[in-house]
């Protein structure tokens, strides 16, 4: 297995651009199933999860062509298989995103039931309840979800809990339903707005994405279009934290700062100076030690759970004590044991992490457990004394494109060790 070897101590500086957002791209690839024509997706990130999603669509019979500009043309209009097999679903839970589009377009779908994962049990009951309300019959058999419907019928649906991929699944399904659907208690993440933008470009009638209520007027068919994936807000947030923990100074281009409002507020509380334009963020830490910040994760527009592990590192080297409450996933503190091996002083009490800032961290051999946990280990390695070796970095390659190249470009010293 490949590893990353980090020589800590460098202060990061420079300007970078983030890749297309993974969590916007995944539902968009699934949405191509709804179209009768080719969809061209631009600025897709080169990531393992994207490859897995393509593998899934390919296994169902979609044609995927990459041109010289790295744009993907996806033709999913005549799928022979309507099944997501366990081999693929177990490697990527977001495979569940093909459920809504398959039932809406083909009237049936068979999707392996995703199991739990490192960060929590992550059931899909909200997706299934809402799809049933649109008129689908759903049976759980032999570890698979089997769903069928003649044509879905638009209706009013109030989600029992806020779910990002659940909202996306049902938005996509409702686009081809008969009549109007009104979805409430929906997720408001920027990726929901991005998906609505793509669907509307395909001819759908989706209104209200980004608010508490999304209205979707069903249409008979959707057509082709070109769409460019916006930059990844969590990747941007991660590089901003890298600048904070190394006392550095960086600018991120082509990012809408409004997508990071809560994260930027918390970064300011650490003592970072931040300058925003409409589409860039500059952060300067002037070699200062960060101040501790208390954080409670919650659905957008609150502080994202996907930035929680990274902020643990800021707090771990801050000049005080702080509390982090994780309210979205029940088991998202897997990074803590590894960070403590690097000299952090973090105690877990249920969904609370109590973090006492220490003077400095030291390098160690550590193991990544999930995507954002791996990011936090790399961040800790950047500010630690000596060498840190991060194992199981396949987790990081699922969600960060060429992370060591981008960080090295900013002045870090990271080497990818072959397996
Ligand atoms: N939940 C249920 N039932 C459901 C669906 C969700 O109980 O049917 C619970 C989950 O167990 C969790 C909470 O609701 O406790 C929120 O889960 P959500 O469904 O919103 O998460 P998701 O859609 O599976 C997406 C991102 C995650 C991100 C979360 C929260 C994608 C592909 N994944 O997951 O991204 O953490 O929303 O913002 O969009 C990551 O990129 O590292 C990542 C894990």
């Amino acid at each position: 297995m490949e590893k990353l070897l980090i020589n800590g101590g460098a202060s990061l500086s420079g300007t970078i651009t983030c890749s297309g957002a993974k969590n916007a791209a995944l539902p968009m690839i699934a949405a191509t199933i709804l179209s009768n024509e080719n969809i061209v997706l631009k600025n897709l990130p080169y990531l393992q999860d994207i490859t897995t999603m393509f593998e899934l669509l390919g296994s169902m019979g979609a044609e995927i062509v990459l041109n010289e500009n790295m744009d993907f043309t996806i033709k999913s209009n005549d799928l022979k298989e309507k099944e997501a097999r366990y081999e693929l679903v177990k490697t990527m839970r977001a495979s569940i995103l093909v459920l809504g589009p398959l039932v809406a377009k083909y009237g049936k779908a068979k999707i392996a039931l995703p199991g739990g994962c490192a960060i929590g049990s992550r059931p899909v009951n909200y997706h299934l309840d809402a799809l049933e309300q649109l008129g689908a019959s759903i049976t759980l058999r032999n570890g698979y979800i089997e769903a069928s419907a003649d044509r879905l019928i638009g209706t009013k649906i109030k989600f029992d809990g806020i779910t990002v991929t659940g909202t996306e699944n049902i938005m996509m399904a409702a686009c081809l339903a008969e009549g109007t659907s009104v979805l409430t208690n929906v997720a408001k993440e920027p990726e929901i707005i991005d998906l609505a933008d793509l669907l509307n470009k395909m001819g759908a009638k989706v209104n209200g994405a980004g608010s508490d209520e999304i209205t979707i007027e069903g249409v008979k068919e959707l057509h082709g279009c070109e769409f460019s994936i916006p930059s990844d807000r969590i990747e941007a947030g991660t590089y901003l934290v890298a600048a904070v923990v190394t006392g550095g100074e960086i600018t991120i281009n082509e990012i809408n700062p409004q997508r990071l409002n809560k994260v930027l507020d918390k970064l300011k509380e650490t003592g970072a100076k931040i300058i925003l334009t409409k589409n860039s963020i500059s952060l300067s830490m002037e070699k200062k030690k960060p101040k501790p910040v208390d954080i409670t994760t919650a659905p957008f527009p609150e502080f994202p759970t996907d930035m929680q592990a990274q902020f643990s590192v800021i707090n771990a080297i801050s000049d005080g004590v702080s509390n982090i409450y994780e309210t979205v996933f029940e088991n998202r503190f897997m990074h803590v044991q590894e960070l403590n091996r690097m000299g952090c002083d973090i105690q877990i009490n249920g969904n609370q992490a109590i973090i006492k800032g220490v003077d400095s961290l030291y390098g160690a051999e550590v193991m990544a457990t999930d995507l954002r946990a791996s990011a936090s280990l790399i961040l800790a390695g950047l500010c630690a004394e000596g060498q840190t070796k991060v194992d199981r970095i396949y987790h990081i390659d699922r969600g960060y494109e060429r992370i060591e190249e981008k960080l090295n470009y900013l002045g870090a010293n990271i080497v990818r060790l072959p397996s």
Side-chain angles (χ1 to χ4, degrees):
M1 258 184 269
E2 289 182 336
K3 296 181 178 55
L4 288 180
L5 181 68
I6 305 158
N7 287 293
S11 182
L12 301 194
S13 69
T15 300
I16 50 166
T17 303
C18 290
S19 304
K22 166 181 83 82
N23 290 348
L26 290 170
M28 288 185 190
I29 298 173
T32 65
I33 294 173
L34 296 165
S35 169
N36 282 330
E37 295 167 8
N38 292 355
I39 306 283
V40 180
L41 292 180
K42 296 166 176 276
N43 199 34
L44 272 173
Y46 179 68
L47 296 171
Q48 188 53 49
D49 275 9
I50 300 297
T51 310
T52 306
M53 200 60 158
F54 278 144
E55 216 178 307
L56 173 57
L57 259 74
S59 75
M60 295 193 288
E63 281 174 32
I64 298 151
V65 179
L66 175 64
N67 75 9
E68 66 283 2
N69 298 323
M70 302 302 278
D71 302 333
F72 285 88
T73 301
I74 308 164
K75 190 177 177 201
S76 304
N77 69 330
D78 185 22
L79 300 184
K80 303 285 179 277
E81 298 287 336
K82 286 90 190 169
E83 179 172 339
R85 284 191 286 273
Y86 182 60
E87 293 78 67
L88 286 173
V89 177
K90 75 176 181 196
T91 63
M92 191 186 64
R93 303 177 50 81
S95 309
I96 189 75
L97 285 164
V98 299
L99 174 66
L102 282 176
V103 178
K105 177 84 181 293
Y106 295 98
K108 63 176 182 174
K110 187 175 170 192
I111 314 290
L113 200 52
C117 80
I119 61 176
S121 60
R122 303 183 77 179
V124 289
N125 54 319
Y126 305 152
H127 303 232
L128 303 187
D129 289 351
L131 200 56
E132 272 181 330
Q133 289 179 61
L134 286 176
S137 304
I138 296 182
T139 316
L140 300 183
R141 210 183 343 238
N142 303 333
Y144 276 79
I145 303 160
E146 292 180 19
S148 60
D150 287 338
R151 186 172 176 201
L152 297 172
I153 311 284
T155 187
K156 283 189 175 170
I157 297 172
K158 181 170 189 230
F159 282 89
D160 284 337
I162 295 182
T163 163
V164 176
T165 49
T167 302
E168 292 163 349
N169 230 336
I170 302 308
M171 262 168 75
M172 292 189 280
C175 284
L176 290 183
E178 192 180 326
T180 301
S181 300
V182 181
L183 314 182
T184 53
N185 199 27
V186 288
K188 293 181 281 204
E189 268 64 6
E191 292 74 28
I192 303 283
I193 301 175
D194 297 336
L195 177 62
D197 288 346
L198 169 73
L199 291 167
N200 286 338
K201 229 176 162 187
M202 289 161 66
K205 296 185 174 164
V206 182
N207 279 298
S211 77
D212 290 315
E213 183 173 292
I214 302 176
T215 304
I216 302 153
E217 216 180 295
V219 296
K220 280 226 167 81
E221 55 183 25
L222 294 176
H223 51 72
C225 71
E226 278 192 13
F227 197 86
S228 184
I229 319 285
S231 288
D232 194 315
R233 67 190 165 105
I234 304 297
E235 187 192 8
T238 304
Y239 293 134
L240 292 171
V241 172
V244 169
V245 298
T246 63
E249 185 168 358
I250 68 167
T251 294
I252 300 185
N253 281 331
E254 288 173 46
I255 184 82
N256 175 354
Q258 286 184 352
R259 295 184 162 211
L260 280 150
N261 269 345
K262 267 279 148 45
V263 172
L264 294 173
D265 287 348
K266 290 291 170 187
L267 288 170
K268 280 181 204 154
E269 273 184 46
T270 71
K273 277 201 188 132
I274 293 180
I275 298 172
L276 307 177
T277 70
K278 217 172 130 207
N279 59 358
S280 77
I281 303 171
S282 299
L283 178 147
S284 158
M285 200 60 194
E286 294 164 350
K287 302 214 166 23
K288 283 183 308 226
K289 201 169 175 56
K291 294 193 183 76
V293 287
D294 289 332
I295 282 164
T296 301
T297 67
F300 196 86
E302 295 307 320
F303 190 91
T305 173
D306 289 345
M307 285 300 300
Q308 180 258 108
Q310 298 89 318
F311 267 71
S312 305
V313 182
I314 297 184
N315 284 338
I317 59 158
S318 71
D319 61 6
V321 180
S322 57
N323 291 294
I324 293 186
Y325 294 90
E326 171 58 57
T327 76
V328 179
F329 291 111
E330 69 264 33
N331 194 25
R332 213 172 192 182
F333 284 132
M334 301 280 281
H335 47 285
V336 165
Q337 297 305 331
E338 296 301 289
L339 289 177
N340 283 347
R341 296 183 56 249
M342 297 178 69
C344 297
D345 182 350
I346 310 177
Q347 279 180 29
I348 302 297
N349 179 17
N351 75 337
Q352 176 190 16
I354 305 146
I355 307 180
K356 290 188 184 143
V358 296
D359 283 342
S360 57
L361 306 184
Y362 39 82
E365 290 192 36
V366 287
M367 200 150 65
T369 48
D370 73 73
L371 172 56
R372 309 303 168 188
S374 1
S376 76
L377 299 180
I378 294 172
L379 294 170
L382 288 174
C383 59
E385 286 168 14
Q387 283 197 333
T388 298
K389 206 187 265 182
V390 186
D391 201 353
R392 303 208 176 161
I393 55 162
Y394 55 86
H395 288 291
I396 200 113
D397 294 332
R398 292 184 60 170
Y400 291 89
E401 191 177 60
R402 299 180 285 111
I403 191 163
E404 74 277 23
E405 281 180 36
K406 289 193 186 177
L407 288 170
N408 284 345
Y409 179 73
L410 295 171
N413 180 346
I414 308 180
V415 180
R416 186 176 285 251
L417 304 174
S419 25

Coordinates of all heavy atoms in Angstrom, one line a residue, residues 22-23 26 93-94 97 119 121-127 162-166 168 189 305-306 328-330 332 371-372, ligand 1:
K22 N -16.1 16.8 -5.4 CA -16.5 15.4 -5.5 C -18.0 15.2 -5.2 O -18.7 14.5 -5.9 CB -15.6 14.6 -4.4 CG -16.2 13.2 -4.1 CD -15.3 12.5 -3.1 CE -15.6 12.8 -1.6 NZ -16.8 12.1 -1.0
N23 N -18.4 15.8 -4.1 CA -19.8 15.6 -3.7 C -20.8 16.3 -4.5 O -22.0 16.1 -4.4 CB -20.0 15.9 -2.2 CG -19.2 14.9 -1.3 OD1 -18.8 13.9 -1.8 ND2 -19.1 15.3 0.0
L26 N -20.6 13.5 -7.9 CA -21.2 12.1 -7.8 C -22.7 12.1 -8.2 O -23.1 11.3 -9.0 CB -20.9 11.5 -6.4 CG -19.4 11.2 -6.2 CD1 -19.2 10.8 -4.7 CD2 -19.0 10.0 -7.0
R93 N -20.5 4.2 -0.8 CA -21.9 4.3 -0.4 C -22.7 5.2 -1.3 O -23.9 5.1 -1.5 CB -22.0 4.9 1.0 CG -21.2 4.2 2.0 CD -21.3 4.9 3.3 NE -22.7 5.2 3.6 CZ -23.6 4.3 4.1 NH1 -23.2 3.1 4.4 NH2 -24.9 4.6 4.2
A94 N -22.0 6.2 -2.0 CA -22.7 7.2 -2.8 C -23.3 6.5 -4.0 O -24.1 7.1 -4.8 CB -21.8 8.3 -3.3
L97 N -26.9 6.8 -5.1 CA -27.5 7.9 -5.9 C -28.1 7.5 -7.2 O -28.8 8.2 -7.8 CB -26.4 8.9 -6.1 CG -26.0 9.8 -4.9 CD1 -24.7 10.5 -5.1 CD2 -27.1 10.8 -4.7
I119 N -17.4 6.0 9.7 CA -17.8 7.2 10.4 C -19.2 7.0 11.1 O -19.7 7.9 11.8 CB -17.7 8.5 9.6 CG1 -18.7 8.4 8.4 CG2 -16.3 8.8 9.2 CD1 -18.7 9.7 7.5
S121 N -23.3 4.5 11.2 CA -24.1 3.4 10.6 C -24.7 3.8 9.3 O -24.9 2.9 8.4 CB -25.2 3.0 11.6 OG -26.0 4.1 11.9
R122 N -25.0 5.0 9.1 CA -25.4 5.6 7.8 C -26.5 4.8 7.1 O -26.3 4.3 6.0 CB -24.2 5.8 6.9 CG -23.1 6.7 7.6 CD -22.0 7.0 6.7 NE -22.3 8.0 5.6 CZ -21.4 8.4 4.7 NH1 -20.2 7.9 4.7 NH2 -21.7 9.3 3.8
P123 N -27.7 4.7 7.7 CA -28.8 4.0 7.0 C -29.3 4.8 5.8 O -28.9 6.0 5.7 CB -29.9 3.9 8.1 CG -29.6 5.0 9.1 CD -28.1 5.2 9.0
V124 N -30.2 4.2 5.0 CA -30.7 5.0 3.9 C -32.3 5.0 3.9 O -33.0 5.2 2.9 CB -30.3 4.4 2.5 CG1 -28.8 4.6 2.3 CG2 -30.6 2.9 2.4
N125 N -32.8 4.9 5.2 CA -34.3 4.9 5.3 C -35.0 6.1 4.8 O -36.1 6.0 4.3 CB -34.6 4.6 6.8 CG -34.0 5.6 7.8 OD1 -32.8 5.9 7.6 ND2 -34.7 6.0 8.8
Y126 N -34.3 7.3 4.9 CA -35.0 8.5 4.5 C -35.1 8.5 2.9 O -36.1 8.9 2.4 CB -34.2 9.8 4.8 CG -33.9 10.0 6.3 CD1 -32.8 10.7 6.7 CD2 -34.7 9.4 7.3 CE1 -32.5 10.9 8.1 CE2 -34.5 9.6 8.7 CZ -33.3 10.3 9.0 OH -33.0 10.5 10.4
H127 N -34.1 7.9 2.3 CA -34.2 7.8 0.8 C -35.4 6.9 0.4 O -36.2 7.2 -0.5 CB -33.0 7.1 0.2 CG -31.7 7.8 0.5 ND1 -30.7 8.1 -0.5 CD2 -31.0 8.1 1.7 CE1 -29.6 8.6 0.0 NE2 -29.8 8.6 1.4
I162 N -32.5 15.4 8.0 CA -31.8 16.1 6.9 C -30.8 15.1 6.3 O -29.9 14.6 7.0 CB -31.2 17.4 7.3 CG1 -32.4 18.3 7.7 CG2 -30.4 18.0 6.2 CD1 -32.0 19.7 8.1
T163 N -30.9 14.9 5.0 CA -29.9 14.0 4.3 C -29.5 14.6 3.0 O -30.3 15.0 2.2 CB -30.4 12.6 4.1 OG1 -29.7 11.9 3.2 CG2 -31.9 12.6 3.7
V164 N -28.2 14.7 2.8 CA -27.7 15.3 1.5 C -28.0 14.4 0.3 O -28.7 14.8 -0.6 CB -26.2 15.6 1.6 CG1 -25.6 16.1 0.3 CG2 -25.9 16.6 2.8
T165 N -27.5 13.2 0.3 CA -27.7 12.3 -0.8 C -29.1 11.9 -0.9 O -29.6 11.6 -2.0 CB -26.8 11.0 -0.8 OG1 -26.8 10.4 0.5 CG2 -25.3 11.4 -1.1
G166 N -29.8 11.8 0.2 CA -31.3 11.5 0.2 C -32.0 12.6 -0.6 O -32.9 12.3 -1.5
E168 N -30.8 14.6 -2.8 CA -30.4 14.5 -4.2 C -31.1 13.4 -4.9 O -31.6 13.6 -6.0 CB -28.9 14.3 -4.3 CG -28.1 15.6 -3.8 CD -26.7 15.4 -3.4 OE1 -26.2 14.2 -3.4 OE2 -26.0 16.3 -3.2
E189 N -27.1 22.1 1.3 CA -25.7 22.2 1.0 C -25.6 22.8 -0.5 O -26.4 22.6 -1.3 CB -25.1 20.8 1.0 CG -24.5 20.3 2.3 CD -25.4 20.2 3.5 OE1 -26.6 20.4 3.3 OE2 -24.9 20.0 4.6
T305 N -19.5 18.8 8.9 CA -18.8 17.7 9.5 C -17.6 17.3 8.7 O -16.6 16.8 9.3 CB -19.8 16.5 9.6 OG1 -19.0 15.3 10.0 CG2 -20.5 16.2 8.3
D306 N -17.6 17.6 7.4 CA -16.4 17.3 6.6 C -15.2 18.1 6.9 O -14.1 17.9 6.3 CB -16.8 17.4 5.1 CG -17.7 16.2 4.7 OD1 -17.9 15.3 5.4 OD2 -18.4 16.4 3.6
V328 N -23.5 15.2 13.4 CA -24.0 14.6 12.2 C -23.7 13.1 12.1 O -24.7 12.3 11.8 CB -23.4 15.3 10.9 CG1 -23.9 14.7 9.6 CG2 -23.7 16.8 10.9
F329 N -22.5 12.7 12.4 CA -22.2 11.2 12.4 C -21.8 10.8 13.8 O -21.2 11.5 14.5 CB -21.1 10.9 11.4 CG -21.5 11.1 10.0 CD1 -21.0 12.2 9.2 CD2 -22.4 10.3 9.4 CE1 -21.4 12.4 7.9 CE2 -22.8 10.4 8.0 CZ -22.3 11.5 7.3
E330 N -22.1 9.5 14.1 CA -21.9 9.1 15.5 C -20.5 8.6 15.8 O -20.2 8.5 17.0 CB -23.0 8.0 15.9 CG -22.8 6.7 15.2 CD -23.7 6.6 14.0 OE1 -23.9 7.6 13.3 OE2 -24.2 5.5 13.7
R332 N -17.3 9.9 14.3 CA -16.4 10.6 13.4 C -15.2 11.2 14.1 O -14.7 12.3 13.8 CB -17.1 11.7 12.6 CG -16.5 11.8 11.2 CD -17.2 12.7 10.2 NE -16.6 12.5 8.9 CZ -16.9 13.1 7.8 NH1 -17.9 14.0 7.8 NH2 -16.4 12.8 6.7
L371 N -11.7 9.4 4.8 CA -11.2 10.5 4.0 C -10.8 11.7 4.8 O -9.7 12.2 4.7 CB -12.3 10.9 3.0 CG -12.1 12.1 2.1 CD1 -10.8 12.0 1.4 CD2 -13.3 12.3 1.2
R372 N -11.7 12.3 5.6 CA -11.3 13.6 6.3 C -10.4 13.3 7.4 O -9.6 14.2 7.8 CB -12.6 14.3 6.7 CG -13.6 14.5 5.7 CD -13.2 15.2 4.4 NE -14.1 15.1 3.3 CZ -13.9 15.6 2.1 NH1 -12.7 16.1 1.8 NH2 -14.8 15.5 1.2
Ligands
LIG1 N1 -29.2 9.4 7.8 C1 -30.2 8.5 8.2 N2 -31.0 7.9 7.3 C2 -30.9 8.2 6.0 C3 -29.9 9.1 5.5 C4 -29.0 9.7 6.5 O1 -30.4 8.2 9.4 O2 -31.7 7.7 5.1 C5 -28.3 10.0 8.8 C6 -26.9 9.6 8.6 O3 -26.6 8.3 9.3 C7 -26.1 10.7 9.2 C8 -27.0 11.9 8.9 O4 -28.3 11.4 8.6 O5 -26.1 10.6 10.6 C9 -26.6 12.8 7.7 O6 -26.3 11.9 6.6 P1 -26.4 12.3 5.1 O7 -27.4 11.4 4.4 O8 -26.6 13.8 4.9 O9 -24.9 12.0 4.5 P2 -24.6 11.4 3.1 O10 -25.6 12.0 2.1 O11 -24.5 10.0 3.1 C10 -23.0 13.4 2.3 C11 -21.6 13.5 1.9 C12 -20.7 13.2 3.1 C13 -21.0 14.3 4.1 C14 -22.5 14.2 4.5 C15 -22.9 15.3 5.5 C16 -21.7 12.8 -0.4 C17 -21.4 11.8 -1.5 N3 -21.4 12.5 0.8 O12 -23.2 12.0 2.8 O13 -19.4 13.4 2.6 O14 -20.2 14.1 5.3 O15 -23.3 14.4 3.3 O16 -22.6 16.5 5.0 O17 -22.3 13.8 -0.7 C18 -17.0 13.2 2.7 O18 -17.0 13.8 1.6 O19 -16.0 12.9 3.4 C19 -18.3 12.7 3.2 C20 -18.5 11.7 4.1

